[in-house]
């Protein structure tokens, strides 16, 4: 270690050594891949199940079970990292073992390995294990989303919603995306569904328009009917031992549906009229589709208790064997075109995320349900379907990439991003204009405490945007394993803050984050306010010991980064030197050793102001190193600073001012106290002396050491 412009920092030879070591590790580490062999698979699928031979083309294992004297496929087992290596917040992809049944249902989902920081000695892995267990019984044929904690208990559909985990929103989204992306890849290859619309965006051609009657539309097959007679229904249910239950003659319709795809102008305008078709297209989102279903038979598939805007339980749209999520649009439903049968009807919305291709054949299915027995009746269901297809000339087909999954958290957390962005926009002019609010000691003190409260409560505890050395560990692991930084996009508030902090490093150095935007740093400042009423005197750390202690954080940073580059779990253990996970992410709800450590640092803060930040924080060390790239020595100084005046040095609780009066920017937390003093003619000693002598002096920036 050698002295830099304003303090000690790693020597050039040490930096070159670490850089060379990291690059060597980058070149030597293998790509991420599944880790289970046959023996590993057999531990997860013991007898009576049998692990078959691994597929020659794909890393998929058939899991067999004996039935009727022979073996049949119970599930296809695979590891998510082999198909969807999406990096988590530890920088490496979570590895999930997925067992997908031949019908597309999840037979089992297990966690093989992960490096998600919030589940490593934080919440513990048990909540993660419980999270993935929710997928068992759900179908890969349906889109599955991560809801809020207890979303299903609050009424969300258990067929396509899993309960999220508090304080682990971003991690659960990554895991959900890993499971679904890997499962869909296997389903397309092994189960044969979901392949018709992959990589395409298909929209109705707006110029393919003509005015047609319902009869003309029916003649072209653009309006279709699904009719089930009493005889057909009785024959379908007779296999289950049910006798005829339909009223009327055998050839009379039990259910009669008329349905059509509405986005095509020639169909939608003809059925709805120009004005209502325009309103429908405006209400549909980009890439969404609308299907009209009119019921004019005795059996109404919507039911009398149907709730507008919900998913009809007895109507299903399928394509390529994949059930498409179709939800009622809850819009006005009257005044159809002449010739359209009378009866209750619905317009089903199919979102663009469903991957529906209206130019390819699809099927409308109605489920008819009857009961058997009287005391404990058993419900028996039979499905009846009708196919639908439109000519390709009605559509525009364009190759497109699937929308990235990280866009969901950006939309969901838009309000939080807006609030943080406004706060940052308000902070910048205060820090830039040093003669404004900063020069007023009382007003600036109120502003600073209010902003720190915002940082602690909103940024930290509410938005969960505490920046951490864990992100740097993730960056190193991502660089050494899969070369993918997409995991950063799953935590929008933190990414917004990282962007601001990196810019501020170039302008002001480390202090903007450490002094204003670190929730744990803000918590320490509020705890330090208790020192005076508690009559706790600050401990003066001897200068030589202080200089030595300040190097500890650099050594800790080096150890963490080297361990991360080497793929060692030691990096996660060393990262626990940060109390951020305990105090901010988990609200002190954690195992007692971690809580005792975090509380101990807060108590230390009463005696040695921000001792953790000054001596132990590895994130602060990384920012201090990067902060040496700053463009400005922005804190004004006078020739009298340091000799004879030592007021700023004495008042600086961070020890960031040298006896010479120069600023040690890597140790400066941008509290602005010295800036307030130098602009205050009542505090700044050189100004006080000059005023007594009838002179006026101006502060001047002084080059840092």
């Amino acid at each position: 270690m050698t002295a830099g412009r304003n303090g000690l920092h790693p020597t050039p030879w040490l930096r070159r050594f670490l850089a060379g070591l990291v690059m060597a590790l980058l070149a030597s580490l293998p790509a991420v891949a599944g880790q289970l062999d046959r023996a590993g698979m057999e531990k997860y699928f013991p007898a009576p199940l049998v692990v078959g031979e691994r597929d020659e083309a794909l890393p998929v294992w058939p899991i067999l079970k004996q039935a009727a004297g022979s073996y049949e496929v119970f599930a296809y087992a695979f590891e998510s990292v082999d198909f969807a290596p999406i990096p988590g917040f530890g920088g490496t992809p979570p590895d999930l073992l997925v067992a997908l049944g031949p019908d597309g249902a999840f037979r089992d989902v297990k966690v093989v390995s992960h490096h998600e920081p919030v589940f490593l000695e934080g919440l513990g892995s048990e909540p993660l294990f419980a999270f993935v267990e929710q997928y068992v019984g759900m179908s890969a044929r349906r889109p599955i989303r991560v809801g809020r904690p207890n979303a299903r208990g609050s009424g969300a559909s258990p067929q396509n919603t899993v309960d999220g985990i508090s304080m682990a929103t971003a991690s659960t989204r990554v895991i959900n995306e890993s499971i679904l992306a890997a499962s869909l890849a296997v389903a397309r290859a092994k189960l044969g569904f979901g392949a018709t619309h992959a990589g395409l965006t298909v929209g109705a051609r707006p110029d393919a328009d003509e005015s047609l009657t319902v009869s003309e539309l029916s003649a072209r097959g653009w309006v279709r009917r699904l009719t089930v007679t009493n005889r057909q229904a009785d024959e379908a249910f007779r296999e289950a031992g049910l006798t005829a239950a339909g009223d009327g003659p055998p050839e009379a319709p039990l259910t009669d549906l008329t349905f059509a795809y509405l986005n095509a102008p020639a169909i939608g305008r003809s059925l709805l009229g120009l004005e209502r078709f325009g309103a429908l297209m405006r209400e549909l989102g980009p890439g969404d589709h609308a299907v009209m279903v009119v019921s004019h038979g005795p059996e109404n598939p919507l039911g009398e208790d149907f709730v507008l805007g919900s998913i009809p339980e007895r109507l299903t749209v399928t394509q390529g064997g994949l059930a498409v999520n179709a939800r009622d649009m809850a819009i006005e439903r009257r005044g159809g075109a002449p010739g359209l049968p009378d009866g209750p009807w619905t317009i089903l919305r199919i979102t663009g995320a469903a991957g529906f291709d209206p130019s390819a054949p699809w099927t409308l299915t109605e489920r008819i349900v009857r009961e058997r027995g009287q005391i404990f009746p058993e419900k028996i269901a039979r499905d009846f379907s009708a196919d639908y297809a439109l000519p390709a000339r009605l559509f525009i087909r364009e190759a497109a990439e699937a929308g990235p999954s990280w866009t969901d958290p950006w939309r969901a957390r838009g309000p939080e991003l807006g609030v943080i962005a406004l706060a940052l926009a308000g902070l910048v002019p205060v820090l830039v204009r040093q003669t404004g609010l900063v020069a007023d000691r009382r007003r600036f003190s109120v502003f600073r405490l209010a902003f720190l409260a915002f940082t602690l409560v909103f940024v930290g505890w509410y938005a969960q945007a505490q920046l951490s050395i864990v992100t740097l560990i993730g960056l190193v692991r991502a660089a050494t394993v899969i070369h993918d930084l997409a995991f950063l996009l799953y935590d929008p508030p933190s990414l917004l803050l990282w962007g601001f902090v990196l810019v501020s490093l170039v302008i002001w150095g480390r202090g903007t984050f450490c002094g204003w935007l670190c929730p744990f740093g803000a918590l320490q400042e509020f705890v330090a306010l208790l020192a005076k009423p508690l009559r706790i005197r600050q401990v003066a750390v001897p200068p030589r010991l202080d200089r030595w202690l300040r190097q500890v954080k650099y050594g800790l940073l080096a150890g963490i980064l080297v361990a991360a580059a080497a793929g060692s779990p030691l990096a996660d253990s060393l990262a626990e030197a940060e109390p951020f996970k305990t105090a901010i992410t988990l609200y002190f709800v954690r195992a007692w050793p971690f809580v005792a450590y975090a509380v101990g640092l807060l108590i230390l803060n009463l005696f040695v102001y921000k001792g953790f930040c000054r001596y132990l924080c590895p994130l602060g060390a990384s920012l201090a190193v990067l902060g040496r790239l700053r463009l400005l020595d922005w804190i004004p100084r006078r020739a009298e600073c340091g000799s004879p005046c030592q007021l700023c040095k004495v008042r600086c609780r961070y020890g960031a001012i040298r006896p010479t009066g120069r600023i040690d920017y890597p140790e400066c937390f941008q509290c602005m106290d010295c800036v307030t003093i130098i602009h205050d003619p009542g505090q700044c000693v050189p100004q006080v002396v000059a005023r007594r002598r009838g002179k006026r002096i101006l502060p001047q920036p002084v080059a840092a050491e």
Side-chain angles (χ1 to χ4, degrees):
M1 301 287 180
T2 61
R5 291 198 308 176
N6 258 345
L8 302 180
H9 62 93
T11 57
W13 70 264
L14 179 57
R15 291 198 299 270
R16 288 195 295 270
F17 170 76
L18 293 177
L21 178 60
V22 171
M23 292 304 295
L25 289 167
L26 284 176
S28 63
L29 287 177
V32 65
Q35 53 189 290
L36 297 178
D37 55 11
R38 173 181 290 279
M41 283 289 177
E42 289 175 344
K43 291 180 181 179
Y44 285 99
F45 302 101
L49 297 175
V50 176
V51 178
E53 294 298 325
R54 179 175 170 174
D55 191 282
E56 295 182 357
L58 295 173
V60 176
W61 301 78
I63 307 301
L64 310 174
K65 70 174 181 179
Q66 191 170 13
S70 62
Y71 285 96
E72 63 180 27
V73 175
F74 169 72
Y76 293 99
F78 53 92
E79 293 177 73
S80 62
V81 292
D82 288 323
F83 297 92
I86 302 172
F89 279 83
T92 56
D95 188 8
L96 294 311
L97 175 62
V98 181
L100 193 65
D103 59 352
F106 291 103
R107 297 285 192 258
D108 202 357
V109 180
K110 297 292 186 183
V111 178
V112 178
S113 65
H114 74 92
H115 288 89
E116 292 306 290
V118 72
F119 297 117
L120 293 173
E121 296 296 341
L123 294 173
S125 293
E126 287 74 15
L128 176 58
F129 298 157
F131 173 78
V132 300
E133 286 178 0
Q134 297 178 87
Y135 289 83
V136 178
M138 303 179 76
S139 176
R141 295 174 181 267
R142 293 178 175 270
I144 300 175
R145 68 180 186 89
V146 179
R148 295 183 177 275
N150 197 34
R152 298 202 288 188
S154 302
S157 171
Q159 296 179 335
N160 62 355
T161 304
V162 291
D163 293 340
I165 303 174
S166 277
M167 302 170 284
T169 304
S171 291
T172 53
R173 289 183 184 276
V174 170
I175 290 166
N176 180 63
E177 181 65 16
S178 300
I179 293 173
L180 297 185
S183 299
L184 188 56
V186 172
R188 286 171 175 163
K190 304 298 293 185
L191 307 184
F193 70 73
T196 57
H197 49 72
L200 291 174
T201 56
V202 183
R205 188 181 296 277
D207 57 353
D209 189 15
E210 53 185 316
S211 180
L212 300 170
T213 65
V214 173
S215 297
E216 291 172 330
L217 291 169
S218 299
R220 296 186 181 189
W222 296 3
V223 168
R224 293 274 290 144
R225 294 183 72 173
L226 168 57
T227 302
V228 181
T229 65
N230 288 321
R231 182 190 303 276
Q232 291 172 324
D234 292 342
E235 290 176 353
F237 283 102
R238 188 171 293 121
E239 297 176 359
L242 294 176
T243 57
D247 296 330
E251 301 306 323
L254 173 64
T255 183
D256 200 356
L257 305 180
T258 296
F259 62 100
Y261 176 77
L262 294 180
N263 291 52
I267 304 174
R269 288 191 180 129
S270 298
L271 293 179
L272 299 177
L274 182 62
E275 182 178 347
R276 294 182 65 195
F277 175 75
L280 174 67
M281 291 299 101
R282 288 190 296 272
E283 185 167 345
L284 287 175
D288 290 359
H289 309 274
V291 173
M292 170 187 276
V293 181
V294 182
S295 174
H296 42 96
E299 185 92 2
N300 179 9
L302 297 180
E304 296 181 358
D305 299 328
F306 179 70
V307 178
L308 299 182
S310 63
I311 298 176
E313 294 183 0
R314 293 169 55 190
L315 289 178
T316 306
V317 174
T318 59
Q319 186 173 61
L322 179 67
V324 178
N325 189 7
R327 181 181 295 273
D328 176 79
M329 289 191 65
I331 63 174
E332 183 183 18
R333 51 191 76 206
R334 60 180 176 83
L340 194 66
D342 293 330
W345 55 284
T346 178
I347 293 181
L348 301 175
R349 181 204 298 263
I350 301 172
T351 65
F356 179 68
D357 178 2
S359 67
W362 54 273
T363 301
L364 179 72
T365 300
E366 179 184 0
R367 172 162 291 190
I368 298 177
V369 180
R370 291 181 179 175
E371 293 184 354
R372 178 172 58 188
Q374 296 181 350
I375 300 178
F376 298 105
E378 177 187 3
K379 291 185 176 181
I380 307 296
R382 292 292 182 267
D383 292 338
F384 301 88
S385 303
D387 296 330
Y388 189 91
L390 293 174
R393 63 183 175 85
L394 296 181
F395 300 96
I396 301 174
R397 297 168 61 90
E398 297 178 348
E401 295 183 359
S405 62
W406 54 260
T407 57
D408 291 338
W410 283 85
R411 287 192 294 265
R413 307 193 73 176
E416 297 169 32
L417 292 171
V419 172
I420 294 175
L422 286 175
L424 297 178
L427 177 63
V428 169
V430 171
L431 299 181
V432 170
R433 192 169 179 269
Q434 298 181 8
T435 57
L437 179 62
V438 175
D440 189 320
R441 180 176 55 178
R442 293 184 178 179
R443 290 173 55 212
F444 179 70
S445 178
V446 172
F447 171 81
R448 177 165 170 77
L449 289 176
F451 198 94
L452 290 176
F454 167 81
T455 296
L456 173 61
V457 177
F458 187 87
V459 175
W461 285 332
Y462 180 78
Q464 292 285 287
Q466 168 77 66
L467 303 190
S468 169
I469 194 64
V470 169
T471 303
L472 298 187
I473 294 174
L475 289 173
V476 173
R477 284 176 171 162
T480 57
V481 180
I482 58 174
H483 314 290
D484 186 353
L485 304 181
F487 72 95
L488 296 172
L489 299 173
Y490 286 85
D491 189 3
S494 294
L495 187 58
L496 173 62
L497 284 174
W498 271 115
F500 181 84
V501 168
L502 291 176
V503 172
S504 68
L505 279 174
V506 178
I507 300 174
W508 293 303
R510 164 194 182 182
T512 308
F513 170 74
C514 295
W516 292 88
L517 298 173
C518 177
F520 187 74
L523 178 59
Q524 288 183 94
E525 294 215 23
F526 285 116
V527 170
L529 295 177
L530 300 175
K532 187 174 182 179
L534 293 177
R535 298 182 180 181
I536 297 176
R537 298 183 61 181
Q538 292 286 295
V539 175
V541 181
R544 179 176 296 182
L545 177 60
D546 178 75
R547 288 193 297 271
W548 184 87
L549 289 175
R550 289 179 190 270
Q551 307 316 304
V552 174
K553 60 181 178 288
Y554 294 107
L556 184 58
L557 171 66
I560 289 173
L561 295 183
V562 170
S568 170
L570 180 61
D572 300 308
S573 300
L574 292 175
E576 290 295 346
E578 285 184 341
F580 303 162
K581 187 191 302 182
T582 301
I584 305 300
T585 305
L586 302 176
Y587 313 108
F588 291 98
V589 181
R590 203 178 179 191
W592 74 263
F594 297 99
V595 175
Y597 173 67
V599 172
L601 290 176
L602 293 176
I603 294 174
L604 171 67
N605 175 63
L606 291 171
F607 297 90
V608 179
Y609 186 68
K610 284 198 170 182
F612 166 76
C613 303
R614 292 157 60 184
Y615 303 137
L616 290 175
C617 182
L619 178 62
S622 66
L623 297 180
V625 172
L626 295 174
R628 294 181 182 277
L629 300 175
R630 76 181 188 285
L631 301 176
L632 303 174
D633 292 328
W634 56 274
I635 298 179
R637 299 279 82 194
R638 290 192 171 92
E640 296 86 354
C641 293
S643 178
C645 183
Q646 292 281 317
L647 179 61
C648 289
K649 175 185 179 301
V650 172
R651 292 278 186 86
C652 183
R653 294 181 292 177
Y654 301 95
I657 300 179
R658 298 295 180 189
T660 60
R662 313 248 179 188
I663 304 300
D664 187 355
Y665 282 96
E667 299 298 331
C668 174
F669 284 60
Q670 205 169 357
C671 68
M672 310 295 280
D673 284 350
C674 61
V675 179
T676 299
I677 292 172
I678 207 167
H679 286 294
D680 186 348
Q683 289 192 83
C684 181
V685 176
Q687 284 199 74
V688 172
V689 173
R691 189 173 64 235
R692 290 176 181 175
R693 296 176 179 177
K695 297 180 180 181
R696 182 172 180 266
I697 59 174
L698 296 174
Q700 299 293 332
V702 174
E705 291 180 337

